[in-house]
Amino acid sequence: MEPENKIHIIATVMTGRGLNDGFKGEEWYARRIPIFKKFTIENLRNQTNKNFLHWIMFRPEEKQKKLTRELLRYLDNINYRYVATFYGQCWWDDKVDNSTLKDRLAKSLKKLNFPKTDYVYLTQLDSDDMLRFDIVNLIQQEPFGYRKALYHKKGYVYNHITEQLADWYVPTSWESFTLMYPYEVFMNAEKNLEYQNGWTTHEEVPAKFNAKELPENSYVVSTGNMNRSTQWGHPYMGNQYFYESEKIDILRNFICQQESM
């Protein structure tokens, strides 16, 4: 049996999601970019399988900002494989009007510009979160399935400011999940949205799709940088790790150099 022909896209919304026109303020943006570079980008650069395209989404307003230009220049200088689009979040946003979604998605898809393939695996990943170093490879090893999704429940929460670490358990599905698309469906904005089966939030993933849970403890959700929903002490938080040796042993699967430990 021949291997499946697929492209794996990891999609991150930097700005253009949620309330306040999808922007949390200039102070938040200035603080988030270094975290994105140090943790999320470095985590992805050190995945055991680096055969993916990183789709980074911004609002149109960010295109000419100095911080944005500096970030994209940095990614170019490290020869990172990415595409930046400036049409905001390109999937359903349960906090705003979605009347322009199809148009914004269509414009963004034209910018992705990758060769025709059989399947597209799309993994959503927040701009301060991390995946265990083998997870990209595990995702790509999964055979294609129609409306098949891969999702996480049990992982960790890490506070970048205080360097605290604890268990994190989401009863349904964590925000980072992977949805598998036929290529022709993915590249057509109208078909793409129909394929999502009325999905509006990550909590619906197990019910809306043919979903398979990924191994436990394979992601880190972050807090400490003016986060709105992910807060230290959230009900999803469980056992806290107090011993430095425990924290180092866990984080070595997500962070190459323990600069923060």
Side-chain angles (χ1 to χ4, degrees), residues 81-130:
R81 190 184 179 203
Y82 77 97
V83 172
T85 61
F86 293 89
Y87 304 102
Q89 177 171 296
C90 288
W91 52 79
W92 189 269
D93 190 330
D94 62 350
K95 295 180 175 62
V96 300
D97 174 25
N98 289 275
S99 60
T100 64
L101 175 57
K102 185 169 73 170
D103 179 63
R104 291 186 288 105
L105 175 58
K107 291 176 179 177
S108 295
L109 290 173
K110 291 179 181 179
K111 300 289 185 181
L112 293 183
N113 191 30
F114 55 82
K116 188 178 185 303
T117 184
D118 293 327
Y119 308 115
V120 177
Y121 288 19
L122 182 75
T123 299
Q124 297 183 17
L125 184 67
D126 273 2
S127 59
D128 58 349
D129 292 350
M130 296 177 284

Side-chain angles (χ1 to χ4, degrees), residues 43 46-47 130-135 156 217-218 220 247-256 258:
N43 170 266
N46 286 283
Q47 288 287 318
M130 296 177 284
L131 300 171
R132 202 174 66 197
F133 286 142
D134 63 338
I135 287 301
Y156 303 103
N217 301 329
S218 57
V220 172
K247 292 194 287 184
I248 289 171
D249 191 50
I250 291 169
L251 290 175
R252 73 174 71 237
N253 297 302
F254 302 90
I255 303 172
C256 247
Q258 301 296 333

Side-chain angles (χ1 to χ4, degrees), residues 207-240:
K208 292 285 187 181
F209 304 114
N210 300 314
K212 177 180 178 180
E213 185 179 350
L214 288 166
E216 290 188 348
N217 301 329
S218 57
Y219 73 87
V220 172
V221 60
S222 300
T223 188
N225 178 44
M226 302 169 67
N227 298 73
R228 286 177 178 167
S229 56
T230 307
Q231 298 285 341
W232 191 261
H234 190 283
Y236 289 170
M237 198 179 94
N239 173 66
Q240 182 175 348

Side-chain angles (χ1 to χ4, degrees), residues 121-159:
Y121 288 19
L122 182 75
T123 299
Q124 297 183 17
L125 184 67
D126 273 2
S127 59
D128 58 349
D129 292 350
M130 296 177 284
L131 300 171
R132 202 174 66 197
F133 286 142
D134 63 338
I135 287 301
V136 167
N137 192 55
L138 286 178
I139 289 170
Q140 294 186 22
Q141 286 179 349
E142 280 289 328
F144 173 80
Y146 189 78
R147 283 191 174 136
K148 181 177 178 180
L150 307 174
Y151 70 103
H152 307 258
K153 291 176 75 171
K154 165 72 170 61
Y156 303 103
V157 58
Y158 178 61
N159 188 314

